[in-house]
């Protein structure tokens, strides 16, 4: 048995849906459980529709019309059988009606709670699984659409970054899914969200259906989890920066987690979390080249000769510099900062401290809010808070980066040779990764320099 996750990039065109059916048929008799995300671009449409609804009631009908068109064109072109097509259309209309009411609710009330927000965003996956099941049935497969609440995918109450309750979810999923598999029915489950104990939907954040799929794979003890994308798997760096970026055949769970955390967009950073302690093989597969190259991710790592597997980066970060003559030597300061930021749902990526400055890495979109949240602390030990937002992070990932002598020197001399200044770096927090901060304008040239030094010169 395998769990297969199809992301939005695999759910763009009518033909994509038919390709999925072909892939499933070719994989038979092995049974499959599918986790699907929303059709390409639909979560963004839902997001924008909510923002527009907050501003004007008049936007709602236009938003619904857009979302309807997007889905109907796929139904029309990918489902030939008229009775299956009608059935799917009816269920889509029922969902659109509910969505329309929700959006009007938002427009009239003028605000949107976290749970309503997630309920609206989750409609993308609910619409997608109905259509996918219609297409699979039209192609002669047996399949059933399942919403996360229905099968008891239980989480905590953190609405936009929920964590699964594994013991409860495991027994619920086994109870609901195993009988379907016994009857050769393909369960097609909504990715991206679960629900709390009271049944309110909670999401795993943007691109969270990778995490959903990992939960399902773990709960069903599946030997393999296929994450289908519309690109090749992990690469040695972003191919936009250098032609010599190459695909990576094998990574460890830790390497994949760190690469995703530090900006590689291929996998949700929390995907391996539910898989810890299992022996599940993750394969990143390309829907445009189904039997071609794939990156395989396994629990344990291996050090490759030249250690570094990939150079990841993120320019969506800012550094918050909390300054004061004695911040490093005063107890409780970091705790206080952490409490205040988590109270406003701001995540701290990393902290680097000295006696006179605490540097916090935060998401660029949170920078201003972070400073505002911490401003009341100015006046005591904290004297000033600055934000550097013209910075970028470059991460070096590979089993052995921390323990290999001379590696850091090689990285930094490559960067120095192209005249780039390293503003800050952090090593040791992870066994397989370290990162450094440069000016945003220098990011590309620094990435190219490191990549050249490890992946081009010695080949
Ligand atoms: N549809 C959601 C998003 O676009 C979840 C996912 O694609 O994994 O973020
Ligand atoms: Mg997506």
């Amino acid at each position: 048995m395998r769990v297969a996750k199809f992301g939005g990039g695999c759910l763009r065109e009518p033909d994509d849906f038919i390709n999925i059916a072909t892939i499933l048929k070719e994989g038979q008799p092995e049974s499959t459980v599918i986790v699907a995300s929303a059709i390409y671009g639909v979560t963004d449409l839902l997001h924008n529709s909510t923002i527009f609804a907050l501003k004007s009631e008049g936007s709602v009908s236009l938003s619904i019309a857009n979302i309807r068109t997007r889905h109907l064109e796929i139904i029309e072109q990918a489902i030939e059988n008229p009775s299956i097509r009608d059935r799917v259309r009816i269920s889509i209309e029922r969902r659109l009606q509910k969505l329309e009411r929700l959006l009007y609710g938002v427009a009239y009330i003028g605000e949107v709670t976290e749970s309503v927000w997630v309920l609206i965003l989750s409609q993308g996956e609910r619409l997608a699984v109905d259509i996918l099941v219609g297409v699979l049935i039209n192609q002669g497969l047996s399949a059933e659409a399942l919403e996360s609440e229905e099968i008891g995918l239980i989480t905590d109450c953190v609405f936009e970054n929920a964590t699964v309750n594994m013991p409860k979810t495991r027994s619920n999923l086994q109870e609901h899914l195993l009988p379907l598999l016994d009857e050769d029915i393909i369960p097609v489950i909504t990715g991206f969200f679960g629900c709390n104990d009271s049944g309110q939907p909670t999401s795993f954040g943007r691109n969270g259906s990778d995490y959903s799929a990992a939960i399902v794979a773990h709960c069903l003890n599946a030997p393999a989890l296929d994450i289908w994308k519309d690109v090749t798997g992990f690469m040695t760096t972003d191919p936009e920066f250098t032609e010599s970026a190459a695909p990576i055949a094998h990574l460890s769970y830790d390497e994949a987690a760190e690469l995703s955390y530090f900006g590689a967009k291929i996998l949700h950073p929390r995907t391996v979390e539910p898989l810890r302690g299992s022996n599940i093989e993750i394969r990143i597969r390309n829907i445009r080249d189904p039997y071609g190259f794939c990156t395989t991710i396994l629990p344990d790592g291996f050090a490759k000769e030249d250690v570094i597997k990939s150079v990841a980066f993120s320019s969506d970060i800012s550094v918050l510099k909390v300054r004061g003559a004695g911040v490093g030597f005063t107890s409780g300061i970091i705790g206080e900062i952490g409490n205040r930021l988590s109270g406003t749902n701001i995540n701290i990526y990393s902290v680097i401290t000295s006696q006179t400055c605490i540097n916090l890495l935060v998401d660029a979109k949170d920078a201003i809010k972070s400073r505002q949240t911490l401003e009341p602390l100015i006046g005591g030990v904290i004297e000033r808070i600055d934000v550097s937002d013209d910075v970028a992070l470059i991460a070096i990932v590979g089993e052995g980066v921390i323990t290999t002598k001379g590696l850091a020197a090689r990285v930094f001399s490559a960067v120095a040779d192209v005249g780039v200044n390293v503003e800050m770096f952090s090593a040791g927090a992870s066994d397989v990764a370290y990162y450094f901060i440069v000016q945003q304008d220098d990011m590309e040239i620094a990435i190219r320099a490191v990549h050249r030094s490890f992946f081009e010169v010695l080949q």
Side-chain angles (χ1 to χ4, degrees):
M1 189 251 292
R2 61 186 164 168
V3 173
K5 180 254 164 173
F6 293 95
C10 308
L11 304 168
R12 269 181 211 242
E13 308 295 334
D15 275 353
D16 292 340
F17 286 73
I18 297 169
N19 283 345
I20 292 175
T22 311
I23 287 169
L24 294 175
K25 282 187 205 164
E26 284 168 357
Q28 281 176 340
E30 192 184 2
S31 56
T32 306
V33 177
I34 292 182
V35 175
S37 55
I39 287 176
Y40 185 76
V42 167
T43 312
D44 288 335
L45 274 179
L46 290 162
H47 176 106
N48 295 340
S49 304
T50 313
I51 305 289
F52 295 149
L54 283 168
K55 292 190 190 134
S56 108
E57 179 197 334
S59 66
V60 175
S61 53
L62 196 64
S63 297
I64 294 293
N66 272 338
I67 297 169
R68 174 180 289 115
T69 309
R70 191 78 188 84
H71 290 85
L72 286 189
E73 67 188 14
I74 293 176
I75 298 173
E76 300 306 326
Q77 292 178 47
I79 305 177
E80 293 135 18
N81 180 311
S83 73
I84 302 174
R85 202 196 289 159
D86 285 346
R87 223 170 38 226
V88 177
R89 262 204 224 113
I90 290 168
S91 74
I92 296 303
E93 285 305 331
R94 196 174 31 89
R95 293 197 187 282
L96 289 174
Q97 188 185 54
K98 178 171 176 183
L99 175 63
E100 186 170 27
R101 289 176 181 165
L102 280 166
L103 290 175
Y104 276 123
V106 168
Y108 293 147
I109 297 165
E111 63 181 8
V112 50
T113 60
E114 280 182 307
S115 66
V116 170
W117 181 251
V118 174
L119 183 59
I120 293 175
L121 288 194
S122 71
Q123 299 305 315
E125 275 66 19
R126 300 180 206 262
L127 290 159
V129 295
D130 283 348
I131 298 183
L132 184 52
V133 164
V135 175
L136 298 184
I137 294 175
N138 184 68
Q139 294 288 329
L141 293 158
S142 302
E144 189 171 325
L146 299 160
E147 291 166 84
S148 309
E149 299 94 340
E150 213 180 331
I151 54 170
L153 203 161
I154 306 292
T155 71
D156 60 13
C157 288
V158 182
F159 283 99
E160 288 178 74
N161 185 19
T163 298
V164 65
N165 178 324
M166 199 53 100
K168 283 188 187 168
T169 301
R170 176 188 285 275
S171 70
N172 291 344
L173 261 52
Q174 292 193 353
E175 183 190 325
H176 286 92
L177 302 178
L178 295 181
L180 294 177
L181 292 174
D182 283 344
E183 288 177 52
D184 288 330
I185 297 171
I186 302 169
V188 182
I189 304 168
T190 50
F192 180 49
F193 66 95
C195 67
N196 62 19
D197 276 324
S198 334
Q200 291 173 300
T202 54
S203 93
F204 304 123
R206 293 307 305 269
N207 300 317
S209 37
D210 292 343
Y211 179 78
S212 309
I215 295 168
V216 174
H218 194 226
C219 289
L220 299 180
N221 304 318
L225 165 60
D226 286 339
I227 307 258
W228 287 90
K229 319 261 328 174
D230 59 347
V231 291
T232 316
F234 278 93
M235 306 280 287
T236 53
T237 195
D238 190 327
E240 272 188 29
F241 293 160
T242 163
E243 276 177 6
S244 58
I248 305 172
H250 300 286
L251 287 173
S252 66
Y253 279 5
D254 282 349
E255 288 170 332
E258 297 292 0
L259 281 171
S260 312
Y261 184 69
F262 287 122
K265 298 272 184 292
I266 204 100
L267 205 62
H268 186 279
R270 297 186 66 189
T271 310
V272 301
E273 226 178 273
L275 301 180
R276 296 271 178 210
S278 77
N279 210 16
I280 298 172
E281 178 177 296
I282 309 173
R283 298 177 295 217
I284 313 283
R285 304 184 64 176
N286 185 355
I287 191 107
R288 316 261 170 253
D289 183 16
Y291 302 102
F293 185 88
C294 80
T295 302
T296 303
I297 305 165
L298 289 163
D300 296 319
F302 68 97
K304 95 181 213 318
E305 197 191 325
D306 224 5
V307 183
I308 294 182
K309 303 245 175 55
S310 184
V311 183
F313 61 90
S314 171
S315 52
D316 297 330
I317 54 131
S318 292
V319 180
L320 208 65
K321 294 180 172 288
V322 180
R323 299 184 195 275
V327 286
F329 215 67
T330 311
S331 62
I333 294 266
I334 293 188
E336 179 69 33
I337 290 173
N339 278 338
R340 285 185 183 241
L341 292 181
S342 82
T344 47
N345 272 334
I346 291 171
N347 180 43
I348 304 171
Y349 273 101
S350 186
V351 185
I352 304 182
T353 307
S354 74
Q355 166 67 345
T356 59
C357 187
I358 300 171
N359 295 277
L360 306 157
L361 252 62
V362 294
D363 211 289
K365 70 170 176 16
D366 292 334
I368 301 298
K369 195 165 148 206
S370 309
R371 179 161 60 190
Q372 285 163 353
T373 308
L374 299 182
E375 250 156 21
L377 297 176
I378 295 177
V381 186
I382 296 175
E383 290 155 19
R384 212 174 79 218
I385 302 175
D386 300 323
V387 175
S388 307
D389 47 17
D390 49 358
V391 290
L393 174 154
I394 299 176
I396 307 297
V397 178
E399 296 281 341
V401 289
I402 299 302
T403 48
T404 307
K405 293 191 190 93
L407 197 89
R410 223 173 119 189
V411 170
F412 291 125
S413 65
V415 174
D417 285 349
V418 288
V420 170
N421 180 41
V422 171
E423 300 198 354
M424 210 186 288
F425 71 90
S426 166
S430 153
D431 287 344
V432 302
Y434 62 80
Y435 71 81
F436 56 95
I437 305 286
V438 296
Q439 281 293 305
Q440 202 153 311
D441 289 344
D442 290 336
M443 180 183 86
E444 235 180 281
I445 177 173
I447 291 172
R448 259 194 242 117
V450 177
H451 192 268
R452 194 165 45 240
S453 152
F454 284 87
F455 295 97
E456 297 162 48
V457 176
L458 293 180
Q459 273 168 12

